[in-house]
């Protein structure tokens, strides 16, 4: 199950002509705010994350990934390291529509141990040109089809959205983006709900 | 006595001249004249003694549209001035029609790009910006109910909406598309430059085309030419 998207992506990379492929890579910085049942009385943790994004665009198909890490803190001297990442294999029936599937994971390194969400989510999104193809408004909705928390805590459900602005600087290889992300992750049986919110900016190069 | 006139020749230049040779059989006084077809407007090219030959040049008048007909008359005279023999050669002078190139046709309409936008980019930009911005602002609380979300989403949603509004105002239907205007201007200028060069070449060919002179059979008479 987990090897299938990777195998498909590698096969596509070999079959699509090189000139039809676009590679984008960049750096992202984000401010995160998380309200989680695992913070034992601390209602909200906030912090900063940094990382990278990358995408191989094959036209009809695209493989994208994100990696971020940082630290969130609370008022009661709680400080958690956060590591998160996702990978999405997407199909584009039209240049501005994508439907994808892939894993999404986030780990909190708490003093008492590690809390790890692992989700397999389906996504649908649009990237609508704002007058020119160089500037696009992006919006994605996703819902987890399967997931786990720590491997022991009963997983309930998860969903989220991402939206923002993507700009390709004319006559350069530079691009920039600004995004907002909100996620809702629920434990089974009303055991708790985590709300994750993130606002990020990024810059990168396209080849 | 004989006349030497090229039977079919093209003469070029601003004032083309036709060489006419006179060959008397013995020393004679010769009068060489060119008249029009009716024998009027004589131009005397030579009047004097010729021992064996003489070559004179007649400046060919510019031909009318239909060409002109002339007669070259050589008369040999005795010492008393009486005409002994005449040789007449009719000639026809016509404009030389040079090979000219056809002027290039104007570029086809299909080659030109639209110079004014008639699309709806502005409207779609506005709809996309407002739509995505509104979805971002409105759906986040629905995705995470009770999550006490921050107003940060409004900053991103507002940026997306503002970008859409800017796109709307900068891409109104009917606006001039400078890149297409420049491309069309280049097409027109290339065509005009080609047309002018062909026209100049044709004019040059016409200027230097000259005239065609065709001589008929010589007629000999004893005494004065008829």
């Amino acid at each position: 199950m987990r090897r299938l998207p990777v195998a498909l992506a590698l096969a596509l990379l070999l079959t699509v002509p090189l000139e039809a492929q676009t590679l984008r890579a960049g750096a992202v910085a984000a401010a995160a705010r998380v309200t989680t049942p695992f913070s034992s009385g601390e209602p909200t943790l906030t912090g900063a994350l940094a990382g990278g994004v990358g995408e191989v665009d094959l036209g009809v198909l695209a493989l994208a990934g994100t990696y971020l890490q940082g630290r969130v803190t609370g008022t009661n001297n709680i400080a958690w390291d956060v590591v998160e990442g996702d990978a999405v294999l997407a199909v584009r029936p039209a240049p501005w529509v994508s439907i994808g599937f892939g894993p999404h994971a986030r780990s909190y390194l708490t003093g008492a141990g590690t809390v790890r969400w692992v989700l397999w989510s389906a996504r649908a999104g649009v990237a609508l040109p704002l007058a020119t193809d160089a500037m696009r408004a992006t919006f994605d909705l996703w819902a987890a089809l399967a997931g786990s928390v720590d491997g022991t805590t009963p997983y309930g459900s998860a969903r989220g959205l991402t939206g923002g602005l993507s700009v390709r600087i004319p006559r350069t290889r530079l691009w920039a983006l600004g995004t907002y992300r909100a996620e809702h992750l629920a434990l089974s049986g009303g055991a708790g709900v985590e709300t994750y919110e993130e606002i990020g900016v990024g810059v990168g190069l396209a080849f | 006595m004989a006349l030497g006139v090229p039977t079919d020749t093209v003469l070029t230049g601003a004032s083309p001249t036709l060489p006419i040779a006179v060959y008397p059989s013995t020393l004679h006084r010769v009068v060489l004249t060119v008249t029009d077809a009716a024998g009027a407007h004589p131009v005397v090219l030579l009047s004097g003694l010729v021992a064996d030959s003489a070559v004179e040049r007649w400046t060919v008048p510019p031909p009318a549209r239909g060409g002109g007909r002339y007669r070259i008359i050589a008369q040999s005279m005795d010492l008393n001035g009486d005409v002994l023999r005449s040789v007449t050669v009719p000639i026809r002078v016509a404009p030389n029609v040079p090979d000219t190139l056809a002027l290039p046709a104007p570029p086809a309409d299909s080659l030109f790009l639209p110079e004014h936008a008639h699309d709806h980019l502005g409207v779609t930009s506005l709809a996309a910006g407002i739509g995505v911005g509104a979805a971002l602002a409105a759906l986040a609380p629905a995705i995470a109910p009770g999550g006490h979300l921050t107003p940060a989403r409004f900053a991103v949603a507002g940026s997306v909406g503002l970008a859409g509004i800017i796109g709307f105002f900068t891409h109104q239907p009917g606006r001039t598309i400078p890149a297409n205007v420049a491309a069309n201007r280049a097409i027109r200028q290339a065509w005009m430059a080609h047309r002018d060069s062909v026209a100049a070449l044709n004019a040059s060919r016409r200027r230097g085309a000259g005239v065609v002179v065709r001589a008929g059979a010589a007629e000999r008479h004893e005494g004065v030419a008829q």
Side-chain angles (χ1 to χ4, degrees):
Chain A
M1 177 71 177
R2 297 184 182 187
R3 292 176 184 169
L4 182 61
V6 176
L8 281 174
L10 289 175
L12 286 166
L13 280 173
L14 294 174
T15 54
V16 176
L18 195 61
E19 60 270 21
Q21 302 178 17
T22 301
L23 172 66
R24 298 184 189 87
V28 176
R33 178 179 181 274
V34 56
T35 303
T36 174
F38 301 106
S39 59
S40 59
E42 183 70 31
T44 301
L45 306 173
T46 58
L49 293 84
V53 295
E55 182 185 34
V56 178
D57 186 348
L58 306 176
V60 176
L61 290 158
L63 177 64
T66 307
Y67 175 84
L68 287 170
Q69 68 176 42
R71 173 168 287 198
V72 291
T73 59
T75 53
N76 294 332
N77 293 324
I78 293 178
W80 292 357
D81 288 333
V82 181
V83 178
E84 71 161 339
D86 62 33
V88 179
L89 179 63
V91 179
R92 293 201 176 106
W96 53 277
V97 180
S98 65
I99 299 168
F101 177 78
H104 176 193
R106 179 160 56 242
S107 293
Y108 303 109
L109 279 65
T110 73
T114 299
V115 177
R116 180 179 295 112
W117 293 87
V118 178
L119 309 169
W120 288 88
S121 56
R123 294 171 174 265
V126 294
L128 302 171
L130 298 177
T132 73
D133 280 336
M135 181 179 292
R136 287 178 177 264
T138 61
F139 186 77
D140 286 66
L141 285 170
W142 62 264
L145 304 178
S148 65
V149 190
D150 286 337
T152 56
T153 310
Y155 163 79
S157 65
R159 59 181 180 267
L161 64 78
T162 304
L165 202 58
S166 168
V167 180
R168 176 79 185 263
I169 311 299
R171 293 180 292 277
T172 72
R173 295 185 179 278
L174 286 172
W175 55 260
L177 58 81
T179 59
Y180 171 82
R181 182 149 63 115
E183 296 177 359
H184 176 86
L185 306 97
L187 299 176
S188 177
V193 170
E194 178 175 309
T195 300
Y196 183 87
E197 200 177 10
E198 185 184 286
I199 183 168
V201 293
V203 292
L205 295 172
F207 303 95
Chain B
M1 186 177 63
L3 273 176
V5 180
T7 55
D8 190 346
T9 187
V10 175
L11 305 175
T12 59
S15 299
T17 57
L18 177 70
I20 303 172
V22 180
Y23 305 102
S25 56
T26 183
L27 179 65
H28 275 100
R29 183 166 182 265
V30 174
V31 176
L32 180 62
T33 308
V34 178
T35 70
D36 61 16
H41 306 106
V43 175
V44 178
L45 302 179
L46 169 68
S47 178
L49 292 174
V50 178
D52 52 3
S53 67
V55 176
E56 300 298 325
R57 301 193 76 88
W58 173 54
T59 301
V60 181
R65 184 177 299 272
R69 293 178 183 276
Y70 300 89
R71 298 171 73 195
I72 302 172
I73 304 168
Q75 295 174 316
S76 64
M77 300 175 178
D78 60 17
L79 296 177
N80 297 322
D82 295 328
V83 176
L84 300 175
R85 295 177 188 84
S86 301
V87 178
T88 301
V89 174
I91 58 173
R92 178 173 182 178
V93 178
N96 185 32
V97 180
D99 288 335
T100 54
L101 302 174
L103 291 178
D109 290 344
S110 59
L111 295 178
F112 291 102
L113 300 172
E115 296 189 354
H116 299 282
H118 49 75
D119 49 38
H120 301 287
L121 277 178
V123 175
T124 56
S125 172
L126 180 68
I130 298 296
V132 169
L136 202 57
L139 289 184
I143 289 288
H148 305 292
L149 299 175
T150 66
R153 67 183 184 280
F154 295 114
V156 178
S159 300
V160 176
L162 182 62
I165 292 170
I166 292 172
F168 173 73
F169 284 110
T170 57
H171 290 78
Q172 288 291 296
R175 77 191 188 283
T176 300
I177 306 173
N180 289 3
V181 171
N184 291 346
R185 186 187 304 124
I187 292 173
R188 289 192 192 93
Q189 287 177 342
W191 167 68
M192 286 190 290
H194 186 203
R195 182 199 59 187
D196 292 347
S197 68
V198 170
L201 179 63
N202 288 345
S204 171
R205 287 184 178 181
R206 287 193 189 96
R207 277 194 303 273
V211 294
V212 177
V213 178
R214 292 189 176 89
E219 297 174 6
R220 290 177 173 80
H221 303 276
E222 295 296 322
V224 179
Q226 301 302 306

